[in-house]
Amino acid sequence: DAKTTQPTSMDCAEGRAANLPCNHSTISGNEYVYWYRQIHSQGPQYIIHGLKNNETNEMASLIITEDRKSSTLILPHATLRDTAVYYCIVRVPNYGGSQGNLIFGKGTKLSVKP
Amino acid sequence: SQTIHQWPATLVQPVGSPLSLECTVEGTSNPNLYWYRQAAGRGLQLLFYSVGIGQISSEVPQNLSASRPQDRQFILSSKKLLLSDSGFYLCAWSVQTGLWPQHFGDGTRLSIL
């Protein structure tokens, strides 16, 4: 799986948009970008994933650059409960076993402040 | 809807004691199942995965073993715990094919004394 690079930490004001960047310059053509987050002392929570088109769901939006070498996760109106470590992962689709396993790096610690 | 349960939430064990952590999934059939460990301040490390009953693959050599006696049950075990086995253990499941993401339980925090 391709390696990703994320800032160690970021701050965001409550109610504002949180934009979390991720670089994945060595991503291959069949690798998807996945985002998870982990709130302290809980298991990681899936947020969103995409291949090359921008994606949106009830939690967030994912913007992937045209060359696919970077992406941005957007939380449109951050709340205090969005304070967590956010992980950007690139991997091939889960076709079973090791091919679909997630490799988590250190992620970005997002602190939402009142 | 699908749910995943792990227990216990926290566990304190002496060195050399045995271990059994259990994970069960509800609301789906024939899932892929995974055990991860997260050491303090570090990312997740995949320990084992299973694509079916009795089918276990190990990602790293270690003091732990896994078993899948039923379709939606995944067990992490050790005969003799080491200090280095301390950490946050997470079970996850996913649909077996395609783009489906992995969904995690709330984890077990294991402390070895």
Side-chain angles (χ1 to χ4, degrees), chain A residues 6-30:
Chain A
Q6 297 177 255
T8 302
S9 63
M10 292 180 63
D11 290 342
C12 177
E14 188 178 19
R16 305 296 294 267
N19 297 293
L20 294 99
C22 179
N23 286 322
H24 30 79
S25 58
T26 59
I27 192 170
S28 60
N30 64 342

Short mmCIF file of all heavy atoms in Angstrom, two decimals, chain A residues 6-30:
data_model
loop_
_atom_site.label_atom_id
_atom_site.label_comp_id
_atom_site.label_asym_id
_atom_site.label_seq_id
_atom_site.Cartn_x
_atom_site.Cartn_y
_atom_site.Cartn_z
N GLN A 6 0.67 13.09 6.55
CA GLN A 6 -0.32 13.99 7.12
C GLN A 6 0.35 14.88 8.16
O GLN A 6 1.31 14.46 8.80
CB GLN A 6 -1.43 13.19 7.82
CG GLN A 6 -2.25 12.28 6.93
CD GLN A 6 -3.26 11.50 7.74
OE1 GLN A 6 -3.10 10.30 8.00
NE2 GLN A 6 -4.32 12.19 8.16
N PRO A 7 -0.18 16.09 8.34
CA PRO A 7 0.36 16.92 9.43
C PRO A 7 0.09 16.24 10.77
O PRO A 7 -0.91 15.54 10.94
CB PRO A 7 -0.42 18.24 9.29
CG PRO A 7 -1.59 17.92 8.44
CD PRO A 7 -1.22 16.77 7.58
N THR A 8 0.97 16.49 11.71
CA THR A 8 0.84 15.84 13.01
C THR A 8 -0.38 16.32 13.76
O THR A 8 -1.10 15.54 14.39
CB THR A 8 2.09 16.10 13.85
OG1 THR A 8 3.23 15.61 13.13
CG2 THR A 8 2.01 15.40 15.19
N SER A 9 -0.64 17.63 13.69
CA SER A 9 -1.78 18.17 14.43
C SER A 9 -2.34 19.38 13.73
O SER A 9 -1.66 20.04 12.93
CB SER A 9 -1.36 18.53 15.85
OG SER A 9 -0.38 19.55 15.83
N MET A 10 -3.61 19.68 14.04
CA MET A 10 -4.29 20.85 13.51
C MET A 10 -5.32 21.30 14.53
O MET A 10 -5.87 20.48 15.27
CB MET A 10 -5.03 20.54 12.20
CG MET A 10 -4.16 20.21 11.02
SD MET A 10 -5.15 19.87 9.55
CE MET A 10 -5.96 21.43 9.31
N ASP A 11 -5.60 22.60 14.52
CA ASP A 11 -6.66 23.16 15.34
C ASP A 11 -7.75 23.72 14.44
O ASP A 11 -7.49 24.13 13.31
CB ASP A 11 -6.13 24.30 16.23
CG ASP A 11 -5.23 23.79 17.33
OD1 ASP A 11 -5.27 22.58 17.62
OD2 ASP A 11 -4.47 24.61 17.90
N CYS A 12 -8.98 23.70 14.95
CA CYS A 12 -10.10 24.25 14.20
C CYS A 12 -11.09 24.84 15.19
O CYS A 12 -11.32 24.27 16.27
CB CYS A 12 -10.77 23.15 13.38
SG CYS A 12 -12.21 23.68 12.46
N ALA A 13 -11.66 25.98 14.84
CA ALA A 13 -12.67 26.60 15.69
C ALA A 13 -14.01 25.90 15.50
O ALA A 13 -14.38 25.52 14.37
CB ALA A 13 -12.80 28.08 15.37
N GLU A 14 -14.73 25.73 16.58
CA GLU A 14 -16.04 25.10 16.52
C GLU A 14 -16.94 25.85 15.55
O GLU A 14 -17.00 27.08 15.54
CB GLU A 14 -16.66 25.09 17.92
CG GLU A 14 -17.94 24.30 18.04
CD GLU A 14 -18.48 24.29 19.46
OE1 GLU A 14 -18.09 25.16 20.26
OE2 GLU A 14 -19.29 23.40 19.76
N GLY A 15 -17.65 25.08 14.70
CA GLY A 15 -18.56 25.69 13.73
C GLY A 15 -17.92 26.01 12.39
O GLY A 15 -18.62 26.23 11.41
N ARG A 16 -16.59 26.03 12.36
CA ARG A 16 -15.89 26.29 11.11
C ARG A 16 -15.59 24.97 10.40
O ARG A 16 -15.66 23.90 10.99
CB ARG A 16 -14.59 27.06 11.37
CG ARG A 16 -14.76 28.33 12.15
CD ARG A 16 -15.58 29.36 11.38
NE ARG A 16 -14.90 29.82 10.19
CZ ARG A 16 -14.12 30.90 10.14
NH1 ARG A 16 -13.89 31.60 11.25
NH2 ARG A 16 -13.56 31.26 9.02
N ALA A 17 -15.22 25.10 9.13
CA ALA A 17 -14.84 23.90 8.37
C ALA A 17 -13.44 23.45 8.76
O ALA A 17 -12.54 24.28 8.90
CB ALA A 17 -14.91 24.18 6.88
N ALA A 18 -13.28 22.17 8.91
CA ALA A 18 -11.95 21.59 9.16
C ALA A 18 -11.49 20.93 7.87
O ALA A 18 -12.20 20.10 7.31
CB ALA A 18 -12.01 20.57 10.28
N ASN A 19 -10.33 21.35 7.40
CA ASN A 19 -9.76 20.81 6.16
C ASN A 19 -8.49 20.05 6.49
O ASN A 19 -7.48 20.65 6.86
CB ASN A 19 -9.44 21.93 5.17
CG ASN A 19 -10.69 22.69 4.75
OD1 ASN A 19 -11.55 22.17 4.08
ND2 ASN A 19 -10.79 23.93 5.20
N LEU A 20 -8.53 18.74 6.35
CA LEU A 20 -7.39 17.91 6.72
C LEU A 20 -6.71 17.38 5.46
O LEU A 20 -7.31 16.62 4.70
CB LEU A 20 -7.83 16.74 7.60
CG LEU A 20 -8.36 17.15 8.97
CD1 LEU A 20 -9.87 17.19 9.02
CD2 LEU A 20 -7.84 16.19 10.03
N PRO A 21 -5.45 17.77 5.23
CA PRO A 21 -4.77 17.35 4.01
C PRO A 21 -4.06 16.01 4.17
O PRO A 21 -3.71 15.60 5.28
CB PRO A 21 -3.74 18.47 3.80
CG PRO A 21 -3.39 18.88 5.21
CD PRO A 21 -4.66 18.71 6.03
N CYS A 22 -3.83 15.37 3.03
CA CYS A 22 -3.09 14.11 3.01
C CYS A 22 -2.35 14.02 1.68
O CYS A 22 -2.94 14.24 0.62
CB CYS A 22 -4.06 12.93 3.16
SG CYS A 22 -3.25 11.31 3.11
N ASN A 23 -1.07 13.74 1.74
CA ASN A 23 -0.28 13.51 0.53
C ASN A 23 -0.07 12.02 0.32
O ASN A 23 0.29 11.29 1.26
CB ASN A 23 1.08 14.20 0.63
CG ASN A 23 0.95 15.69 0.47
OD1 ASN A 23 0.15 16.16 -0.34
ND2 ASN A 23 1.70 16.45 1.23
N HIS A 24 -0.30 11.57 -0.89
CA HIS A 24 -0.09 10.17 -1.25
C HIS A 24 0.47 10.12 -2.66
O HIS A 24 -0.17 9.61 -3.59
CB HIS A 24 -1.37 9.34 -1.11
CG HIS A 24 -2.64 10.08 -1.36
ND1 HIS A 24 -3.12 10.36 -2.63
CD2 HIS A 24 -3.54 10.61 -0.50
CE1 HIS A 24 -4.26 11.03 -2.53
NE2 HIS A 24 -4.54 11.19 -1.24
N SER A 25 1.68 10.64 -2.80
CA SER A 25 2.26 10.86 -4.13
C SER A 25 2.59 9.57 -4.87
O SER A 25 2.75 9.59 -6.09
CB SER A 25 3.52 11.72 -4.01
OG SER A 25 4.45 11.10 -3.16
N THR A 26 2.69 8.45 -4.15
CA THR A 26 3.04 7.18 -4.82
C THR A 26 1.81 6.29 -5.02
O THR A 26 1.97 5.10 -5.29
CB THR A 26 4.10 6.43 -4.01
OG1 THR A 26 3.59 6.16 -2.70
CG2 THR A 26 5.38 7.25 -3.89
N ILE A 27 0.65 6.85 -4.92
CA ILE A 27 -0.58 6.06 -5.06
C ILE A 27 -0.64 5.43 -6.45
O ILE A 27 -0.26 6.04 -7.45
CB ILE A 27 -1.82 6.93 -4.79
CG1 ILE A 27 -3.07 6.08 -4.65
CG2 ILE A 27 -1.98 8.00 -5.87
CD1 ILE A 27 -4.28 6.86 -4.14
N SER A 28 -1.10 4.20 -6.52
CA SER A 28 -1.21 3.52 -7.81
C SER A 28 -2.65 3.61 -8.31
O SER A 28 -3.56 3.97 -7.58
CB SER A 28 -0.76 2.07 -7.69
OG SER A 28 -1.55 1.38 -6.76
N GLY A 29 -2.83 3.24 -9.57
CA GLY A 29 -4.11 3.47 -10.23
C GLY A 29 -5.30 2.78 -9.61
O GLY A 29 -6.43 3.27 -9.72
N ASN A 30 -5.10 1.65 -8.95
CA ASN A 30 -6.22 0.92 -8.39
C ASN A 30 -6.37 1.11 -6.89
O ASN A 30 -7.14 0.39 -6.25
CB ASN A 30 -6.09 -0.57 -8.72
CG ASN A 30 -4.87 -1.19 -8.07
OD1 ASN A 30 -3.95 -0.48 -7.67
ND2 ASN A 30 -4.85 -2.50 -7.95
#
